[in-house]
Amino acid sequence: EAQVTQNPRYLITVTGKKLTVTCSQNMNHEYMSWYRQDPGLGLRQIYYSMNVEVTDKGDVPEGYKVSRKEKRNFPLILESPSPNQTSLYFCASSQLRTVSSYNEQFFGPGTRLTVL
Amino acid sequence: DAKTTQPPSMDCAEGRAANLPCNHSTISGNEYVYWYRQIHSQGPQYIIHGLKNNETNEMASLIITEDRKSSTLILPHATLRDTAVYYCIAEMDSSYKLIFGSGTRLLVRP
């Protein structure tokens, strides 16, 4: 089954304790992205990657890192989490667009993070 | 990317058609209209997209006005499982970033 998986689904942690949220897709997609969703602010893009070893900042990258060493994986790293990073996080992937394709992005189930 | 405007909420009866409007008056010629929905904090799900012509798939129909300044997503026979937030997004064909607005919260009543 084609899917995007995220782990963990729920995490409660404390300020300053490094954490990683994993994202994996089995569709051989080149493009992957991270969003965070907050009440009243909608979904905002954190980082994205067009392919292996190619990453770039989205709209709200501060406090986050990403890596893309393999095509299927795109982990989100919080080196020193703070309470303002409490949010619902989504990973998404899509194939690169060709003449006949379109931008259908597949989203993971979400990771609800609470930083105390 | 063009800004889109949607009503904050709508409701319809189960089994009836749900018509969700979207205004995108500043849309440019190469911007597609995409619709996604999000069911209760799950990951957003693609529904349909279009550029100029009306489109239909197994989930919904998309009607785009001739001047492309607005569109309507039609769920022909809404079910309770269609209760969700629906997002209308205008996206350039060269971009991958989806800019989600606040969407329309659709409540399907039994």
Side-chain angles (χ1 to χ4, degrees), chain A residues 51-66:
Chain A
N51 216 323
V52 176
E53 302 291 0
V54 180
T55 64
D56 212 342
K57 297 177 181 178
D59 297 319
V60 288
E62 294 76 21
Y64 304 95
K65 286 174 58 176
V66 292

Side-chain angles (χ1 to χ4, degrees), chain A residues 31 35 37 43 45 50 59 88 90 94-97 102-105 107-109 112, chain B residues 34 36 38 41-46 49 87 91-98 100-101:
Chain A
Y31 179 84
Y35 293 84
Q37 185 172 29
L43 285 104
Q45 190 181 57
M50 299 296 286
D59 297 319
L88 179 58
F90 291 103
S94 73
Q95 60 182 356
L96 287 184
R97 190 174 288 111
Y102 54 93
N103 188 16
E104 176 181 358
Q105 293 195 20
F107 283 78
R112 189 169 292 279
Chain B
Y34 280 81
Y36 280 74
Q38 186 175 25
S41 296
Q42 295 178 21
Q45 175 191 23
Y46 165 86
H49 78 286
Y87 297 98
E91 185 247 23
M92 291 180 67
D93 62 0
S94 60
S95 169
Y96 292 85
K97 183 170 73 174
L98 297 174
F100 290 84

Side-chain angles (χ1 to χ4, degrees), chain A residues 10-111:
Chain A
Y10 302 90
L11 179 61
I12 301 174
T13 188
V14 296
T15 298
K17 185 176 181 183
K18 181 179 178 180
L19 66 92
T20 299
V21 183
T22 65
C23 171
S24 184
Q25 50 92 6
N26 62 2
M27 295 167 280
N28 202 36
H29 285 166
E30 292 85 4
Y31 179 84
M32 297 186 74
S33 175
W34 277 102
Y35 293 84
R36 61 177 288 176
Q37 185 172 29
D38 303 288
L41 296 175
L43 285 104
R44 295 176 292 167
Q45 190 181 57
I46 305 170
Y47 267 94
Y48 66 94
S49 169
M50 299 296 286
N51 216 323
V52 176
E53 302 291 0
V54 180
T55 64
D56 212 342
K57 297 177 181 178
D59 297 319
V60 288
E62 294 76 21
Y64 304 95
K65 286 174 58 176
V66 292
S67 69
R68 188 89 183 274
K69 294 185 171 60
E70 304 166 282
K71 198 172 188 179
R72 64 184 293 127
N73 296 323
F74 190 45
L76 180 68
I77 304 155
L78 285 72
E79 295 269 4
S80 183
S82 63
N84 64 13
Q85 292 177 297
T86 292
S87 187
L88 179 58
Y89 292 85
F90 291 103
C91 180
S93 74
S94 73
Q95 60 182 356
L96 287 184
R97 190 174 288 111
T98 64
V99 172
S100 60
S101 69
Y102 54 93
N103 188 16
E104 176 181 358
Q105 293 195 20
F106 294 80
F107 283 78
T111 294

Side-chain angles (χ1 to χ4, degrees), chain B residues 10-19 75 78-79 106-110:
Chain B
M10 296 181 65
D11 66 77
C12 74
E14 188 178 18
R16 306 298 294 268
N19 297 286
L75 307 178
T79 70
L106 175 68
L107 173 64
V108 180
R109 295 177 278 102

Side-chain angles (χ1 to χ4, degrees), chain B residues 48-60:
Chain B
I48 199 168
H49 78 286
L51 183 63
K52 297 179 186 176
N53 301 321
N54 298 338
E55 302 288 345
T56 295
N57 63 20
E58 64 278 4
M59 290 183 69

